[in-house]
Amino acid sequence: SVQDKNALHLYSVNGKYLGSETLKEEVSDMCVTGDYIVMGSLQGFLSIRDLYSLSLSISPLAMRLPIHCISVTKEYSHILVGLEDGKLIIVGVGKPAEV
């Protein structure tokens, strides 16, 4: 976050700059899972981005409260979202029939 602008920067393992994406929200937690970056913001949005292009995979999900922590199950079937008020939201991943 620099001067009220937030950005996500992507570098290779060798330190080569690969790209960046400007963010509208302030990121509070993130985790890299497979080919995706799962991010939570203080504005209450859960975002899933492609690891290589940094583009949104789906439109952000509104949680209505600041997100404090995010975790993804080892089977990649659910995203666990901890909110400011202590609630734990469980988001199913995949097609509705799979969830």
Side-chain angles (χ1 to χ4, degrees), residues 1-96:
S1 177
V2 177
Q3 298 173 351
D4 295 328
K5 292 185 179 180
N6 299 298
L8 185 63
H9 300 282
L10 180 65
Y11 291 87
S12 72
V13 174
N14 299 325
K16 180 181 176 187
Y17 176 75
L18 300 175
S20 65
E21 186 71 31
T22 302
L23 304 174
K24 296 177 184 175
E25 301 94 26
E26 186 177 346
V27 176
S28 57
D29 195 19
M30 67 174 8
C31 65
V32 176
T33 304
D35 293 337
Y36 298 96
I37 302 171
V38 182
M39 300 187 315
S41 71
L42 292 178
Q43 288 73 24
F45 290 99
L46 177 68
S47 304
I48 301 173
R49 294 182 173 269
D50 181 79
L51 179 60
Y52 304 104
S53 69
L54 300 180
S55 62
L56 285 170
S57 297
I58 61 166
S59 57
L61 301 171
M63 298 288 147
R64 304 183 197 268
L65 289 171
I67 295 172
H68 279 240
C69 61
I70 291 178
S71 183
V72 178
T73 59
K74 65 180 181 178
E75 300 88 14
Y76 308 127
S77 59
H78 294 84
I79 301 171
L80 309 174
V81 182
L83 301 180
E84 182 179 55
D85 65 353
K87 291 180 182 171
L88 176 67
I89 305 296
I90 301 172
V91 180
V93 179
K95 298 175 184 173

